[in-house]
Amino acid sequence: MKLAIDAMGGDNAPKEIVLGAMKAVQAFSDIHITLVGDENKIKETLSAHDRISVLHTTDVILGTDEPVKAVRRKKNASMVLAAQQVADGLADACISAGNTGALVAAGLFVVGRIDGIHRPALAPTLPTIGGEGFLLLDVGANADAKPEHLLQNAIMGSIYSEKVRGISKPRVGLLNIGTEEKKGNELTKQTFELLKNANLNFVGNVEARDLLDGVADVVVTDGFTGNMVLKTIEGTALSMFKMLKTALMSSFKSKMAAAVLKPNLKTLKNTMDYSEYGGAALFGLKAPVIKAHGSSNGQSIYSAIRQTREMVSNDVGGLIKQTIETDNSEK
């Protein structure tokens, strides 16, 4: 299995990208990784390994670049070349911690959509209190959506949750402002009817306040709403830990308590860090494209590689393509 990784994307590139790649090849004997980026900078961290190669380029897409223009104009940027490796059949999937919009554009224009998929969806796995997590899609690939787009999101999310996350009959929920069937706007009302009549384990409408309780394994919504939910969860978790740290450092007694609780707090923080589950998969493309968190460290990159390996091994893209073709032939 061959994976292409944008070594220059993200806040901690290329060092942490390289560290994650080295950890992955040690853990998985069936993968070969091509790191795409500045060879001189990569080799400052990279130890010689026969299953890691470097594709040299000094061009990089920045976080401030306009996504579509950057992908079209910077043909030799590390992110674009990583996607091109997939398009040319030289890699089975690609990963980047760089500019999210640019990666979506590279996925669409370079890797390409599966026939029958109207729009791709960006989907991270977010933590729950029970520790199993849930898949949320879309979180920003498309700000606007139609009911049929959300139906396809539910289908893709279900296939991924079953094949990669090992969940039998994943529970699918529709994010809404109430659990009653007739709640919501026209988008959610029409989507509800489609999901209710689809071959899915649809559990109905779910509210945002119940997401971390594990009310569903797959939660579908439009990209605008999903992105706000994602950032609200992330921001709330960061704020809670900051307030907790302030409280524990406020007196000698609390500092002593903090010393005792430190291992437990670290475990809790890792549980709430969705990058530990891997990256956000861009569903609906001809091959897996994974968006790692922008602040990914080596462990997060390793998790994204592990996730990508599972997607390729289980042929998630092929299963999505087959399901969509079957659905379309039955209409």
Side-chain angles (χ1 to χ4, degrees):
M1 182 186 306
K2 297 179 180 179
L3 306 179
I5 303 179
D6 170 15
M8 310 309 291
D11 302 335
N12 302 310
K15 180 179 178 180
E16 295 298 327
I17 313 298
V18 175
L19 291 174
M22 290 193 297
K23 181 174 181 178
V25 293
Q26 290 174 353
F28 308 117
S29 60
D30 59 346
I31 64 172
H32 180 282
I33 292 175
T34 298
L35 294 172
V36 186
D38 190 322
E39 186 171 16
N40 292 328
K41 293 181 180 179
I42 290 171
K43 288 191 172 180
E44 290 176 4
T45 305
L46 179 64
S47 301
H49 200 291
D50 59 0
R51 285 190 287 116
I52 298 180
S53 58
V54 178
L55 176 60
H56 176 68
T57 183
T58 56
D59 289 354
V60 179
I61 291 179
L62 304 175
T64 54
D65 284 341
E66 199 285 317
V68 175
K69 288 182 180 178
V71 169
R72 287 176 171 166
R73 293 176 181 176
K74 295 185 175 182
K75 300 293 187 181
N76 290 318
S78 55
M79 180 189 294
V80 178
L81 288 180
Q84 192 63 51
Q85 289 275 298
V86 178
D88 292 342
L90 301 175
D92 299 298
C94 67
I95 301 168
S96 177
N99 185 314
T100 301
L103 187 62
V104 171
L108 278 170
F109 302 143
V110 181
V111 177
R113 277 184 297 135
I114 294 171
D115 290 339
I117 292 293
H118 301 301
R119 294 182 183 180
L122 193 62
T125 299
L126 301 178
T128 56
I129 293 173
E132 292 298 323
F134 71 96
L135 191 72
L136 177 65
L137 66 169
D138 177 26
V139 298
N142 298 286
D144 299 310
K146 295 179 180 179
E148 53 268 32
H149 301 155
L150 298 192
L151 172 61
Q152 289 191 341
N153 288 354
I155 292 170
M156 294 189 291
S158 293
I159 291 172
Y160 173 84
S161 295
E162 182 176 351
K163 298 301 180 181
V164 175
R165 303 189 61 226
I167 300 173
S168 178
K169 296 182 179 179
R171 298 163 299 151
V172 177
L174 174 63
L175 188 62
N176 209 331
I177 57 173
T179 58
E180 298 87 350
E181 182 173 341
K182 299 301 180 182
K183 281 279 189 176
N185 55 19
E186 284 305 307
L187 173 63
T188 56
K189 289 176 183 176
Q190 292 178 36
T191 302
F192 189 100
E193 292 301 315
L194 291 178
L195 295 176
K196 185 172 68 174
N197 296 310
N199 185 24
L200 296 165
N201 184 16
F202 181 50
V203 297
N205 291 324
V206 297
E207 295 186 76
R209 66 182 179 184
D210 298 323
L211 295 180
L212 300 188
D213 286 329
V215 68
D217 303 304
V218 178
V219 177
V220 295
T221 187
D222 62 275
F224 183 84
T225 304
N227 190 267
M228 288 197 294
V229 169
L230 172 68
K231 290 178 179 175
T232 298
I233 291 174
E234 184 178 27
T236 299
L238 290 172
S239 298
M240 288 296 294
F241 277 106
K242 285 179 182 178
M243 288 188 286
L244 184 59
K245 183 178 180 180
T246 299
L248 289 174
M249 295 293 107
S250 62
S251 68
F252 177 75
K253 275 187 179 181
S254 60
K255 288 179 181 178
M256 292 294 290
V260 175
L261 293 171
K262 187 175 180 180
N264 304 81
L265 293 173
K266 186 175 182 180
T267 300
L268 176 61
K269 186 175 182 181
N270 289 338
T271 301
M272 293 301 295
D273 183 3
Y274 67 85
S275 65
E276 291 295 316
Y277 292 86
L282 190 57
F283 291 126
L285 301 181
K286 293 178 180 178
V289 173
I290 302 296
K291 171 64 177 73
H293 198 284
S295 60
S296 289
N297 57 19
Q299 177 60 34
S300 301
I301 295 299
Y302 165 79
S303 298
I305 294 170
R306 180 190 63 210
Q307 171 193 17
T308 308
R309 176 177 173 269
E310 289 296 319
M311 289 187 70
V312 174
S313 297
N314 288 283
D315 190 23
V316 171
L319 290 171
I320 290 172
K321 182 176 184 291
Q322 181 181 349
T323 303
I324 295 301
E325 287 176 346
T326 300
D327 288 350
N328 287 341
S329 66
E330 292 175 351
K331 291 179 181 178

